[in-house]
C-alpha cells in the first residue's frame, strides 16, 4: 500500500496524537486532526450555521462536541486534498461516521484501548511544545531540553473537570462508533496501555499487515 488511509480511534488521552505523528512520517501520509484544526480556528464565526454558540471555543472549553456541520466541512476539505492520511479525532458520533463513509474508503481502522483511570492521568499531565507541536507528559514523557521544558503549555481543556466531561461525551457518543466498526469486523484493537514504543510496534505492524 503506497499511501494508506488510516483511521485511528480511541478515548481522549489514548495516545492518538502521539501515534498519528509517527504514522504520518513512517507512511508519508497527511495527519488530519479535527482537534488541532479547531484549536487553530477557535474564534471562527459559526453563527450562520444555526448553532447554540457562535464560535468553536465555547464548545471546546466545556468539553462538548463542536457541531457536526463545522467538523464535517473541515474533514471533507482536508481529505479531498490528501492521497493517504491518518485521521485522528473524527468521527466522534454515529452521524459523523455516516458522513465519513460518504467521503472516503479506509484501509485500516485502529482502536487504541486504554482504561479510564489511566486516561485521566495522561490528560491532566499532558503538556505541549507551542513551537513544535510535540506532545509531552510531565511524568511519562518529559522533555530533556530545559529550554523546551520552560516553554511547555497545558491545553485549556486538560483540567480535571473538563476531562471528566470529555470522557462522559466519549462514552455516550464516540464509543458507539468504535463498537460499530467492531461489529462490522473491520476494527483492529491495539493495547494502548503499553509504553509508547510498544504501542508503536503494534500500530506499525497492523498498518503493514493491511497492505
Ligand atoms: P483529545 O486529543 O483529547 O481527544 P481533541 O484535540 O481531539 O481531544 O479534541 C478537543 C476538542 O475539540 C473536543 O473536546 C471537541 O470539543 C472538539 N472536537 C475535536 N474533534 C471533534 C469532532 N470530530 N466533533 C466534534 N468536536 C470535536
Ligand atoms: P490523544 O491524542 O488520544 O488525546 P495524546 O497522544 O495527546 O492522546 O496523549 C495523551 C498524553 O498521554 C500525552 O501527555 C502523551 O505524552 C501521553 N502518552 C501517549 N501515549 C502514551 C503511552 N503509551 N504511555 C504513556 N503516556 C502516553
Amino acid at each position: 500500500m503506497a499511501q494508506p488511509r488510516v483511521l485511528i480511534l480511541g478515548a481522549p488521552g489514548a495516545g492518538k496524537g502521539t501515534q498519528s505523528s509517527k504514522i504520518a512520517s513512517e507512511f508519508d501520509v497527511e495527519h488530519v486532526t479535527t482537534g488541532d484544526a479547531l484549536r487553530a480556528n477557535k474564534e471562527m464565526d459559526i453563527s450562520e450555521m444555526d448553532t447554540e454558540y457562535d464560535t468553536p471555543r465555547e464548545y471546546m472549553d466545556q468539553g462538548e462536541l463542536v457541531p457536526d456541520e463545522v467538523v464535517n466541512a473541515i474533514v471533507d476539505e482536508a481529505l479531498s486534498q490528501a492521497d493517504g492520511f491518518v485521521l485522528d479525532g473524527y468521527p466522534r458520533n454515529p452521524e459523523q461516521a455516516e458522513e465519513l463513509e460518504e467521503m472516503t474508503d479506509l484501509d485500516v481502522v485502529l482502536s487504541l484501548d486504554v482504561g479510564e483511570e489511566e486516561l485521566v492521568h495522561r490528560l491532566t499531565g499532558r503538556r505541549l511544545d507551542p513551537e513544535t507541536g510535540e506532545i509531552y507528559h510531565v511524568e511519562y514523557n518529559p522533555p530533556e531540553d530545559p529550554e523546551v521544558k520552560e516553554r511547555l503549555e497545558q491545553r485549556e481543556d486538560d483540567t480535571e473537570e473538563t476531562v471528566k466531561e470529555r470522557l462522559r461525551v466519549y462514552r455516550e457518543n464516540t464509543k458507539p462508533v468504535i463498537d460499530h466498526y467492531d461489529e462490522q469486523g473491520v476494527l483492529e484493537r491495539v493495547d494502548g496501555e503499553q509504553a509508547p514504543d510498544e504501542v508503536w510496534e503494534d500500530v506499525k505492524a497492523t498498518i503493514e499487515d493491511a497492505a
Side-chain angles (χ1 to χ4, degrees):
M1 197 189 316
Q3 295 229 281
R5 293 162 296 183
V6 181
L7 173 61
I8 189 161
L9 297 162
K16 301 182 299 296
T18 301
Q19 297 298 327
S20 293
S21 296
K22 291 173 181 285
I23 294 170
S25 58
E26 175 77 21
F27 295 95
D28 192 25
V29 294
E30 194 91 19
H31 181 193
V32 177
T33 152
T34 46
D36 286 356
L38 289 167
R39 270 184 293 281
N41 295 283
K42 265 190 154 179
E43 307 302 340
M44 176 171 60
D45 183 1
I46 56 173
S47 56
E48 296 271 299
M49 291 184 180
D50 195 27
T51 49
E52 189 179 357
Y53 302 115
D54 291 343
T55 64
R57 172 190 287 282
E58 277 108 325
Y59 296 94
M60 298 171 82
D61 285 354
Q62 295 178 61
E64 306 303 328
L65 295 183
V66 174
D68 290 347
E69 212 180 328
V70 179
V71 278
N72 290 342
I74 290 173
V75 175
D76 198 15
E77 167 79 16
L79 296 191
S80 70
Q81 293 173 13
D83 286 329
F85 55 80
V86 51
L87 179 57
D88 158 17
Y90 179 99
R92 259 177 151 95
N93 62 27
E95 293 74 24
Q96 293 180 12
E98 270 177 42
E99 282 290 320
L100 179 62
E101 215 162 295
E102 301 289 313
M103 289 181 214
T104 183
D105 290 331
L106 298 166
D107 298 307
V108 192
V109 183
L110 277 172
S111 166
L112 296 181
D113 296 340
V114 174
E116 196 144 313
E117 206 175 307
E118 172 70 5
L119 293 171
V120 174
H121 196 62
R122 284 191 188 178
L123 289 166
T124 51
R126 173 160 61 186
R127 298 291 183 275
L128 302 170
D129 181 346
E131 290 194 14
T132 62
E134 194 73 31
I135 304 166
Y136 293 97
H137 189 279
V138 285
E139 208 179 293
Y140 298 141
N141 180 29
E144 278 169 26
D145 184 344
E147 214 174 290
V148 175
K149 196 170 182 179
E150 193 64 30
R151 66 176 185 236
L152 290 186
E153 291 178 352
Q154 184 171 25
R155 261 171 53 175
E156 281 173 32
D157 59 346
D158 277 345
T159 57
E160 186 122 16
E161 194 194 345
T162 312
V163 161
K164 290 262 156 67
E165 178 59 13
R166 284 158 62 204
L167 291 174
R168 191 196 64 74
V169 169
Y170 163 77
R171 279 193 302 270
E172 194 174 304
N173 299 279
T174 315
K175 193 154 177 308
V177 173
I178 300 181
D179 294 342
H180 172 71
Y181 286 112
D182 204 5
E183 281 153 22
Q184 285 187 333
V186 297
L187 191 72
E188 303 284 353
R189 288 188 181 276
V190 169
D191 175 4
E193 293 220 6
Q194 307 173 89
D197 288 350
E198 291 171 300
V199 177
W200 170 236
E201 286 300 309
D202 287 357
V203 165
K204 186 166 171 259
T206 305
I207 298 172
E208 281 166 353
D209 286 351

